[in-house]
Amino acid sequence: MFFLPESPRWLGRKDRWEEAHAVLTLVHGKGDSNSPFVLRELQEIREMVEFEKQNSDVTYLELLKPHMINRTHIGVFTQIWSQLTGMNVMMYYITYVFLMAGIKGNANLVASSIQYVINVAMTVPALLYVDRWGRRPTLLVGSTLMMTWLFANAGILASKGHWAGPEGVQHTKEASWEVAGAASKAVIACSYLFVASYAPTWGPVSWIYPPELYPLRLRGKAVALATSANWAFNFALGYFVPPAFVNIKWQTYLVFGIFCLAMTVHVFFMFPETAGKTLEEVVDIFEDPNGIKNVGTPAWKTHISTKRTVMLEQNKFDQAAEVEKGAGYHEESPIRSGSETAEIKA
């Protein structure tokens, strides 16, 4: 973190405009401080910072106002759903799952460790490609895959397993169900596939997405609220999962599978696409006068803007306008030509 530059919007709020310009040049201008895209971004940031200065009395209650409540609920539920995917079942209590699958002793620890390696390795593709994939497709694919593996585990345990008795497997009450043979290998495979599905999708995107939803003046408080929801549900699941394994056994997987189904529906209808968009463009989505009141542009009508943004960075304004028109993008900030950005510079 010591080597990373400050956010240009934060620098702008501190009236450090030269540094903000330098950061934008580094990120978007490829060394060209006169890049039309850089000058356009700088002007938009100036306008937004000026607006925020005139509306600087921010409280948490503002997040509950009609024009903000939709964004607040999306950010909070992104973090809540991240917990309710069932990832904690697979990571915190995986030793119970593998014990039910017949893996005992040191072999259980090794099998559990493999899952952590998968988690780290499968996060790398998201770091490289998440802006190309977009937020909505990544979340939708992730929740659908996780739902598949959770329901598969529930089906395997229900049809091929049996109750392990009141003391559980090896006197571990939480390992209340037992499965052997090919079915146990299938449970292990589905567990690994679940983690491989979470790591490049909900794992990173649940942290990337919330900060992209809010104007700068509210971002700190909004993200803090969303993060508190994450840890509240993390705490709750820590208490829920072990007793669930004891009392409802394999049906625990059904609970989390249903949560994954619910989050898939929720994301499709309510979570707009933010990839490749500036904060100002995201504001336009939520405050679209032609959209749904207090919601804005319907989420399923929003699109990835990464390709368009890359073209703007390369000063290909005509091609960017064609991409925007052809993909049916929400009407965002106008794409300025080189002559218009020269006026901004002046």
Side-chain angles (χ1 to χ4, degrees):
M1 294 295 291
F2 287 110
F3 302 101
L4 297 178
E6 297 286 358
S7 160
R9 288 177 177 80
W10 182 86
L11 291 169
R13 292 180 71 184
K14 303 298 181 182
D15 287 324
R16 293 158 61 178
W17 290 107
E18 289 185 5
E19 293 177 63
H21 193 176
V23 172
L24 287 171
T25 300
L26 175 66
V27 175
H28 295 297
K30 296 185 171 67
D32 180 8
S33 61
N34 296 320
S35 163
F37 183 81
V38 169
L39 296 175
R40 170 178 174 267
E41 285 289 295
L42 187 63
Q43 179 63 17
E44 288 184 353
I45 292 172
R46 284 184 184 275
E47 293 170 357
M48 185 58 69
V49 168
E50 183 60 31
F51 174 79
E52 289 169 352
K53 284 181 178 179
Q54 297 171 5
N55 300 271
S56 58
D57 50 338
V58 179
T59 66
Y60 279 102
L61 290 177
E62 187 163 345
L63 295 174
L64 303 179
K65 290 184 177 180
H67 72 287
M68 283 301 304
I69 189 66
N70 182 47
R71 272 176 274 189
T72 301
H73 117 269
I74 292 171
V76 168
F77 265 91
T78 301
Q79 294 285 13
I80 290 174
W81 287 134
S82 177
Q83 289 295 325
L84 294 181
T85 58
M87 186 61 174
N88 281 329
V89 179
M90 297 297 183
M91 299 301 286
Y92 293 174
Y93 304 110
I94 193 61
T95 54
Y96 297 153
V97 177
F98 286 167
L99 196 57
M100 286 188 268
I103 301 179
K104 303 170 184 177
N106 289 334
N108 192 315
L109 295 177
V110 172
S112 302
S113 300
I114 291 172
Q115 188 152 265
Y116 288 94
V117 173
I118 293 172
N119 189 27
V120 173
M122 290 302 295
T123 302
V124 174
L127 299 177
L128 299 175
Y129 301 112
V130 70
D131 284 330
R132 294 186 188 179
W133 298 341
R135 311 296 185 250
R136 278 173 54 83
T138 304
L139 293 175
L140 289 169
V141 169
S143 58
T144 301
L145 288 175
M146 287 185 288
M147 175 180 64
T148 301
W149 311 130
L150 288 166
F151 283 147
N153 260 353
I156 293 166
L157 290 170
S159 60
K160 302 295 182 181
H162 59 85
W163 185 46
E167 296 300 319
V169 179
Q170 288 195 330
H171 302 289
T172 304
K173 290 183 178 180
E174 291 78 6
S176 58
W177 207 255
E178 195 167 15
V179 66
S184 70
K185 294 181 174 63
V187 168
I188 295 167
C190 287
S191 299
Y192 287 154
L193 288 168
F194 175 91
V195 175
S197 300
Y198 176 89
T201 58
W202 279 84
V205 175
S206 63
W207 295 101
I208 295 170
Y209 189 58
E212 297 176 337
L213 299 171
Y214 309 102
L216 193 60
R217 60 188 292 271
L218 290 170
R219 181 193 272 183
K221 286 183 169 58
V223 173
L225 181 64
T227 303
S228 68
N230 178 293
W231 286 108
F233 274 76
N234 189 318
F235 176 81
L237 288 174
Y239 278 91
F240 166 77
V241 173
F245 274 137
V246 174
N247 295 308
I248 61 175
K249 305 171 181 64
W250 59 268
Q251 292 166 315
T252 303
Y253 282 100
L254 286 182
V255 172
F256 288 103
I258 292 169
F259 281 143
C260 284
L261 175 61
M263 73 183 68
T264 302
V265 175
H266 192 191
V267 169
F268 181 83
F269 285 106
M270 296 303 299
F271 286 40
E273 183 57 68
T274 59
K277 292 178 170 59
T278 64
L279 290 178
E280 294 75 23
E281 290 168 343
V282 172
V283 170
D284 289 341
I285 291 175
F286 285 106
E287 298 180 3
D288 180 5
N290 299 317
I292 303 169
K293 185 178 179 180
N294 296 327
V295 172
T297 305
W300 62 90
K301 292 185 178 181
T302 58
H303 304 275
I304 304 167
S305 296
T306 302
K307 184 177 180 180
R308 166 182 168 273
T309 302
V310 170
M311 287 182 175
L312 289 173
E313 289 177 343
Q314 298 171 350
N315 301 330
K316 298 178 179 179
F317 296 100
D318 292 338
Q319 295 94 320
E322 287 298 319
V323 168
E324 181 176 4
K325 182 179 178 181
Y329 284 110
H330 169 78
E331 186 176 348
E332 299 160 347
S333 302
I335 298 175
R336 299 183 175 94
S337 64
S339 60
E340 290 174 304
T341 49
E343 293 177 12
I344 293 172
K345 182 184 175 186

